[in-house]
Amino acid sequence: MSKKSERPAAGQEQTWFAKDKSDSWQALLSQVASRFDREYRGEAFALPEEVEAMPIFLESVAGTLQEKTVSPFWKIAKPQKNQRCLDIGCGVSFLIYPWREWEAYFYGQEISSAARDALNARGPQLNSKLFKGVEWAPAHKLNYEEDQFDLCLATGFSCYYPIEYWNTVMGEVKRVLKPGGHFVFDVLNPNAPLAEDWAILETYRAGDVFLETIEDWEKMIKAAGAKVVKKQSGDLFQMYKVLFN
């Protein structure tokens, strides 16, 4: 019998926030959800004057920082036609990435209800065949059957959680990936020139940023029973494409 995480009934808003009060990650998850809800709703963050004076903040206001924070996963794992792809922490990616050109089936899971609502409202209008909907749940509780996906993605949010949390995420991803499927995710490289300033900025937005070493990340990947197939460094993040043993 296939394994599947518990999920709420259709239209029911008593989701993981209400159900999982005993979850040891609950406070951190709520904190991160709040950070991204505010961003997707266009709400301003209250920042100290010294932070607003930092060059990296000025870049964020000018819109030039976003390119440095995006990990182009398609450069190391381009979705193929008819593949089933799960984007964990998808944000509003279906409105940005060229999924229709790839002709891959898109499933999403997102901790921000604002992003979930935006995608579920707009996605079917763009392509009702390829867009398979977005679930509202955290990365360690994937609401999908085992062996369901050819490709799983998780970019842009690993640094808000400690490596211990990602041990659980890796186990869930392995469960829902088909044998031979790949997982692409990125990690904040603490040695990147912008990393420290970016972490300071995000601390005021999200509350916590975990500057784990690349060596510790790679130890975690190995301990999770995966091997690195390819990696690619960016201005802030390092991407990994891994295959589970």
Side-chain angles (χ1 to χ4, degrees):
M1 182 180 294
S2 64
K3 301 177 184 176
K4 189 174 183 181
S5 298
E6 183 181 357
R7 62 192 297 178
Q12 185 179 6
E13 285 301 315
Q14 298 299 316
T15 58
W16 55 272
F17 272 120
K19 288 186 175 184
D20 299 328
K21 291 181 180 178
S22 62
D23 194 314
S24 60
W25 301 109
Q26 184 64 32
L28 188 55
L29 292 165
S30 298
Q31 184 174 280
V32 176
S34 176
R35 179 253 182 269
F36 283 102
D37 277 340
R38 292 186 67 180
E39 177 178 322
Y40 291 123
R41 290 170 182 157
E43 299 173 3
F45 293 89
L47 303 175
E49 290 183 6
E50 58 268 26
V51 174
E52 292 188 344
M54 294 172 65
I56 199 164
F57 174 77
L58 300 178
E59 280 194 65
S60 71
V61 173
T64 57
L65 182 61
Q66 184 176 3
E67 183 178 348
K68 298 177 181 179
T69 62
V70 172
S71 292
F73 62 83
W74 54 90
K75 291 186 177 181
I76 62 173
K78 183 179 178 181
Q80 302 299 306
K81 183 177 181 179
N82 294 328
Q83 280 192 332
R84 297 189 179 277
C85 305
L86 172 62
D87 194 344
I88 306 163
C90 59
V92 292
S93 59
F94 194 65
L95 307 180
I96 301 170
Y97 303 143
W99 290 94
R100 288 172 291 178
E101 295 177 14
W102 298 330
E103 298 184 79
Y105 295 103
F106 169 84
Y107 297 73
Q109 184 151 315
E110 175 55 49
I111 198 173
S112 164
S113 61
R116 183 271 317 258
D117 292 346
L119 271 187
N120 282 338
R122 183 72 176 129
Q125 300 172 11
L126 296 174
N127 192 308
S128 59
K129 177 184 176 182
L130 298 179
F131 180 75
K132 297 299 183 180
V134 177
E135 295 285 342
W136 185 37
H140 72 296
K141 292 183 179 292
L142 301 182
N143 292 327
Y144 302 96
E145 302 285 353
E146 63 181 16
D147 302 337
Q148 185 172 347
F149 298 102
D150 301 284
L151 175 67
C152 285
L153 311 165
T155 60
F157 68 94
S158 64
C159 58
Y160 300 109
Y161 304 97
I163 280 183
E164 292 80 9
Y165 177 76
W166 276 82
N167 282 324
T168 305
V169 174
M170 293 286 282
E172 273 288 85
V173 170
K174 182 178 181 179
R175 179 182 65 81
V176 302
L177 268 179
K178 295 177 182 178
H182 290 101
F183 179 36
V184 176
F185 67 102
D186 63 5
V187 304
L188 178 62
N189 183 354
N191 298 318
L194 293 174
E196 187 173 344
D197 285 351
W198 187 84
I200 291 172
L201 177 61
E202 282 301 297
T203 295
Y204 284 97
R205 290 172 168 171
D208 285 294
V209 172
F210 296 87
L211 291 169
E212 312 280 7
T213 68
I214 293 297
E215 291 75 19
D216 283 345
W217 277 111
E218 294 187 356
K219 287 179 183 176
M220 186 278 291
I221 292 170
K222 185 176 181 180
K227 65 177 179 179
V228 177
V229 176
K230 190 177 291 187
K231 56 185 174 182
Q232 180 174 310
S233 296
D235 291 298
L236 275 166
F237 298 94
Q238 181 156 299
M239 273 194 300
Y240 289 94
K241 177 182 179 181
V242 305
L243 178 69
F244 289 95
N245 299 327

